């Protein structure tokens, strides 16, 4: 867990497991941050389920802290922390052992070295802003050591070497990231009602995690802009089938240009996003419909399909979302089912005088 003070840029690196529970994450935050600096007035974080869950929200509501979340799949919204994450990752990648079990022991030196670096935006290091001075650092060691405790010398020597290496590595990574940060960035504004194409990432959909990412369509749409959120994000009107957050950073959008001569050009015969099933057979008849409800899983509809060329004994239940090729047949079935229900309701009813 990486925590960065927006004013001083002071960073705190907290080791924890990827599957840490929300109550344990809160305990680590209080132990490493609140205990030293107090309750923050506001927090900007990513949309990790631990931070968007009821426990975390209610906890900091009780503490009087305002919670803000970055735009979905756009980590630059919390760019300060994400930049430090990248720096820390590069440092650990160079010095972690092959089994990768000692990364937590490297965090102390990395945190100390990072907070010694002077920021270009403030002209001071985080230590100088908080303490009004740079802390003392390990001095040069005289070798060979002939004192009474070689183990103490080895400990100091290891800390000294790790601190020098980490500072050099972090400074090099910072220069590299600064060089490429704004190379491809562009500013674009949209109005409510504008049509846009949305960049949907494969890892947003469980069904696409096993397919080749390079062959997945990069943009979907067109969709309408329904609201502006902040200075660089927009709320988009997405189909109900896309169960994802509908606020996107401007970098995830691009304008849709309709073909005036052929308005149907934007329509596609490919499967909708998130669907990897396509049928080569035709439907002969839809026999029945059922609603599947399970605890913890969104409900969905299934249809009993009788395929052409197959006997009724081989009819199969199929989810509605994979029957995207047969929307006309589904609509007809729903209309006939509604009409039949109305007729049944009307049977045996005597109109009142």
């Amino acid at each position: 867990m990486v925590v960065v003070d927006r004013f001083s840029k002071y960073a705190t690196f907290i080791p924890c497991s990827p599957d840490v529970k929300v109550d344990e994450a809160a305990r680590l935050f209080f132990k490493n941050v609140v205990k030293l600096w107090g309750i923050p007035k506001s927090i900007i974080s990513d949309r990790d389920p631990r931070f968007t869950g009821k426990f975390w929200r209610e906890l900091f509501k009780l503490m009087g802290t305002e919670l803000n979340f970055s735009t979905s799949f756009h980590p630059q919204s919390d760019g300060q922390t994400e930049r430090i994450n990248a720096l820390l990752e590069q440092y650990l990648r160079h010095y972690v052992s092959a089994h990768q079990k000692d990364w937590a022991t490297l965090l102390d030196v990395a945190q100390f070295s990072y907070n010694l670096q002077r920021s270009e935006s403030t002209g001071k290091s985080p230590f100088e802003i908080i303490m009004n001075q740079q802390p003392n650092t390990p001095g040069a060691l005289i070798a060979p050591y002939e004192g009474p405790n070689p183990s103490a010398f080895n400990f100091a020597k290891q800390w000294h070497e790790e601190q020098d290496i980490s500072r050099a590595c972090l400074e090099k990574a910072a220069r590299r990231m600064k060089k490429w940060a704004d190379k491809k960035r562009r500013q674009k504004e949209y109005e409510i009602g504008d049509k846009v194409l949305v960049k949907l990432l494969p890892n947003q959909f469980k069904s696409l995690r096993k397919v080749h990412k390079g062959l997945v369509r990069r943009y979907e749409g067109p969709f309408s802009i329904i609201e502006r959120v902040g200075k660089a994000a927009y709320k988009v009107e997405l189909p109900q089938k896309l169960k994802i957050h509908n606020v996107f950073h401007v970098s995830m959008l691009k304008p849709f240009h309709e073909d005036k001569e052929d308005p149907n050009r934007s329509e596609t015969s490919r499967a909708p996003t998130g669907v990897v099933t396509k049928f080569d057979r035709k439907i002969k008849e839809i026999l029945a419909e059922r609603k599947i409800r399970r605890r913890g899983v969104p409900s969905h509809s299934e249809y009993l399909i009788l395929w052409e060329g197959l006997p009724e004994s081989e009819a199969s239940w199929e989810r509605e979302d994979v029957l995207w090729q047969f929307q006309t047949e589904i609509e007809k079935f729903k209309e006939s089912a509604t009409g039949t229900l109305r007729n049944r309701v009307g049977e045996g009813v005597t109109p009142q005088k």
Side-chain angles (χ1 to χ4, degrees):
M1 184 189 303
V2 175
V3 183
V4 185
D5 175 44
R6 290 201 297 273
F7 173 70
S8 66
K9 316 300 181 187
Y10 187 92
T12 302
F13 304 152
I14 307 172
C16 59
S17 62
D19 56 350
V20 62
K21 294 183 179 180
V22 62
D23 55 342
E24 178 64 14
R27 190 189 67 80
L28 290 172
F29 183 83
F30 274 71
K31 177 182 178 181
N32 293 275
V33 179
V34 175
K35 182 180 73 174
L36 301 176
W37 315 111
I39 299 292
K41 292 182 177 179
S42 65
I43 298 175
I44 299 176
S45 67
D46 58 21
R47 291 185 171 273
D48 188 285
R50 284 173 284 250
F51 302 147
T52 58
K54 294 181 180 180
F55 178 89
W56 191 270
R57 286 174 178 267
E58 189 63 21
L59 174 63
F60 284 97
K61 180 180 178 181
L62 295 172
M63 297 293 174
T65 300
E66 178 185 357
L67 295 182
N68 299 295
F69 300 100
S70 60
T71 307
S72 179
F73 285 89
H74 188 265
Q76 294 92 326
S77 304
D78 186 16
Q80 188 168 254
T81 304
E82 295 299 333
R83 175 178 173 271
I84 296 176
N85 285 344
L87 290 173
L88 181 60
E89 184 178 290
Q90 288 193 36
Y91 164 69
L92 294 178
R93 187 185 306 126
H94 283 85
Y95 299 105
V96 74
S97 61
H99 55 71
Q100 298 186 354
K101 294 181 180 181
D102 60 340
W103 62 270
T105 62
L106 301 173
L107 293 183
D108 292 334
V109 176
Q111 178 178 321
F112 182 75
S113 301
Y114 173 82
N115 290 318
L116 282 174
Q117 297 184 89
R118 285 185 168 87
S119 169
E120 291 191 4
S121 59
T122 62
K124 297 182 178 181
S125 72
F127 276 128
E128 287 179 300
I129 295 176
I130 293 176
M131 304 167 55
N132 204 28
Q133 65 178 4
Q134 285 281 67
N136 293 329
T137 58
L141 299 177
I142 300 176
Y145 175 75
E146 297 179 355
N149 198 324
S151 61
F153 174 79
N154 292 333
F155 183 90
K157 181 181 179 182
Q158 181 181 5
W159 175 274
H160 189 277
E161 292 176 348
E162 289 180 355
Q163 194 251 345
D164 287 343
I165 292 173
S166 63
R167 288 187 68 178
C169 180
L170 290 171
E171 288 175 0
K172 181 179 179 181
R175 290 195 300 269
R176 186 186 301 115
M177 291 179 64
K178 180 183 176 183
K179 180 179 179 181
W180 301 106
D182 297 324
K183 185 177 180 180
K184 296 184 179 180
R185 186 167 296 172
R186 59 183 176 84
Q187 188 64 29
K188 179 68 177 177
E189 294 188 356
Y190 299 96
E191 301 293 335
I192 295 177
D194 286 352
K195 297 287 187 179
V196 295
L197 299 176
V198 178
K199 188 175 185 179
L200 300 179
L201 306 179
N203 54 350
Q204 290 175 274
F205 305 92
K206 291 182 179 180
S207 59
L208 297 182
R209 292 175 184 174
K210 296 181 180 180
V211 301
H212 194 289
K213 306 301 185 292
L215 303 181
V216 177
R217 293 196 303 278
R218 296 197 174 185
Y219 287 88
E220 292 291 340
F223 306 121
S224 298
I225 298 288
I226 57 178
E227 184 183 344
R228 182 166 183 165
V229 181
K231 296 182 179 180
Y234 294 88
K235 182 178 288 187
V236 179
E237 187 178 13
L238 297 178
Q240 293 183 354
K241 294 181 179 179
L242 292 179
K243 306 294 184 181
I244 59 175
H245 189 59
N246 65 339
V247 176
F248 298 90
H249 189 268
V250 66
S251 63
M252 307 292 285
L253 306 173
K254 71 177 183 179
F256 170 72
H257 303 288
E258 184 179 3
D259 190 335
K260 302 296 182 181
E261 298 181 357
D262 185 11
N264 296 327
R265 184 178 177 183
S266 60
E267 297 180 1
T268 178
S269 58
R270 297 181 65 181
T273 302
V275 178
V276 294
T277 303
K278 183 176 181 180
F279 295 97
D280 296 327
R281 295 171 290 184
K282 294 183 178 181
I283 290 179
K284 181 178 180 180
E285 184 182 357
I286 299 178
L287 303 177
E289 178 188 10
R290 66 184 181 185
K291 200 77 171 180
I292 304 299
R293 294 182 176 88
R294 295 175 183 172
R295 181 178 297 179
V297 179
S299 61
H300 64 272
S301 297
E302 291 186 352
Y303 295 92
L304 183 59
I305 305 298
L306 177 59
W307 302 99
E308 285 190 0
L310 296 178
E312 188 170 340
S313 59
E314 295 190 25
S316 60
W317 288 100
E318 306 291 348
R319 290 174 57 110
E320 183 177 10
D321 54 355
V322 303
L323 296 172
W324 57 275
Q325 303 165 254
F326 310 108
Q327 291 302 309
T328 303
E329 289 83 350
I330 292 175
E331 291 298 329
K332 290 181 179 179
F333 172 79
K334 290 181 177 179
E335 291 176 2
S336 62
T338 303
T340 303
L341 179 60
R342 287 175 180 171
N343 292 336
R344 289 178 179 175
V345 171
E347 290 177 359
V349 176
T350 304
Q352 297 181 355
K353 295 182 179 180

